[in-house]
Amino acid sequence: GAVVSQHPSRVICKSGTSVKIECRSLDFQATTMFWYRQFPKQSLMLMATSNEGSKATYEQGVEKDKFLINHASLTLSTLTVTSAHPEDSSFYICSARDIQGVGYTFGSGTRLTVV
Amino acid sequence: DQQVKQNSPSLSVQEGRISILNCDYTNSMFDYFLWYKKYPAEGPTFLISISSIKDKNEDGRFTVFLNKSAKHLSLHIVPSQPGDSAVYFCAASRYNTDKLIFGTGTRLQVFP
C-alpha cells in the first residue's frame, strides 16, 4: 500500500533555532499534503494544506511565517518551524493524498521538543 | 469550535465483548467520515470509512454506523481484542474539499 516516510521521528532543538521536517511519498505521487499538530491528549489539528507547486493554505491562527511549508515536488513536502519556542513543542504529522484523491496516508509523525 | 466531537475520552471493554465508540459532528456539510486508530508517537492508521449516502459499512470486525439526522456516527468492534487497545479518532470531510477534521479521540482499553 501507499507509504509516507516522515523524518525525523524525534528532534530536540534549542529555542530560537529552526527545524525542518520532511515527508516523502514512497510509491505514489502526493499532489496534496496536509500538516497536522497534536498536543498531548488532544486532537490532531490541521495546520495547513499544500498542493504541489503552489503556496500552502494555512488554517486560521497558524502563522505562515513561522511554519514554512514547501511542496516543490510530487514526492516531497517539508515543514520548517522557524525560530522555535518551547510552546512549539508538539507532535507533527503529515498526510498525503494522491492524484486520484483516494484515501489519506499518514506519516509516522515527528516529536519536536524545544528547550 | 470543535466540529467533530468524541465525548467519551476513554472506554474500557473486556476481551471478546463489543466496543462501541461514538462521534458527533455539527457541520451538516460533512459527507465523508473515517475512523483511525493511533498509538502514541505514531501516525494514525486508517480503519474504516463511510460516505453520507450510506448508513452502515462493515469490514471484518469493524462496522461504522452513520445517523445523518442525528449527526452521529459510531464504530463497533466485535469481538474486541487486547491488540485493539489504542486511541481512536473519527474524522470528517466536506464534499469538494480534502481537509480532514478530527475528533478529540477516545482511548480504548481491552482487558483480558
Side-chain angles (χ1 to χ4, degrees):
Chain A
V3 175
V4 171
S5 175
Q6 183 171 347
H7 294 280
S9 59
R10 184 182 297 263
V11 58
I12 301 174
C13 71
K14 289 185 177 180
S15 188
T17 61
S18 296
V19 173
K20 180 184 284 188
I21 301 169
E22 288 189 353
C23 275
R24 293 181 184 272
S25 56
L26 298 186
D27 48 7
F28 68 101
Q29 293 183 324
T31 51
T32 306
M33 192 74 80
F34 306 91
W35 287 93
Y36 292 86
R37 178 170 55 184
Q38 184 189 23
F39 291 107
K41 298 185 179 181
Q42 293 188 25
S43 183
L44 284 78
M45 301 301 296
L46 180 65
M47 299 174 66
T49 303
S50 72
N51 292 296
E52 183 266 336
S54 60
K55 288 185 179 179
T57 302
Y58 289 81
E59 295 298 303
Q60 192 173 11
V62 178
E63 300 174 60
K64 62 180 181 180
D65 294 330
K66 181 170 185 62
F67 300 98
L68 301 179
I69 291 172
N70 184 285
H71 193 169
S73 80
L74 286 171
T75 58
L76 174 64
S77 178
T78 61
L79 166 68
T80 302
V81 183
T82 63
S83 186
H85 288 103
E87 57 265 31
D88 298 324
S89 299
S90 187
F91 190 63
Y92 294 86
I93 311 173
C94 63
S95 173
R97 295 203 85 178
D98 63 16
I99 194 167
Q100 279 86 23
V102 177
Y104 301 81
T105 304
F106 283 83
S108 53
T110 298
R111 168 74 60 196
L112 170 64
T113 303
V114 185
V115 297
Chain B
D1 176 30
Q2 189 69 38
Q3 297 185 66
V4 182
K5 298 179 184 179
Q6 293 172 255
N7 291 319
S8 298
S10 63
L11 175 67
S12 189
V13 172
Q14 189 173 30
E15 181 179 8
R17 309 292 280 262
I18 185 170
S19 294
I20 300 177
L21 298 107
N22 294 303
C23 179
D24 296 293
Y25 61 96
T26 57
N27 191 336
S28 58
M29 300 296 288
F30 288 146
D31 64 351
Y32 187 59
F33 305 89
L34 308 90
W35 282 95
Y36 286 87
K37 176 180 178 180
K38 187 179 181 301
Y39 295 110
E42 292 185 15
T45 303
F46 171 75
L47 287 174
I48 193 168
S49 64
I50 188 168
S51 98
S52 60
I53 63 172
K54 294 186 173 182
D55 55 17
K56 176 183 175 181
N57 190 25
E58 190 172 354
D59 184 2
R61 297 186 298 116
F62 302 94
T63 303
V64 55
F65 295 91
L66 175 63
N67 183 333
K68 290 186 290 294
S69 60
K71 295 192 183 68
H72 176 85
L73 65 154
S74 61
L75 174 68
H76 292 209
I77 306 173
V78 55
S80 302
Q81 300 172 353
D84 295 330
S85 299
V87 177
Y88 289 77
F89 289 94
C90 64
S93 70
R94 281 177 52 177
Y95 174 76
N96 235 12
T97 174
D98 286 332
K99 294 199 293 187
L100 273 185
I101 307 299
F102 280 84
T104 46
T106 297
R107 181 176 300 279
L108 172 66
Q109 184 177 10
V110 180
F111 59 93

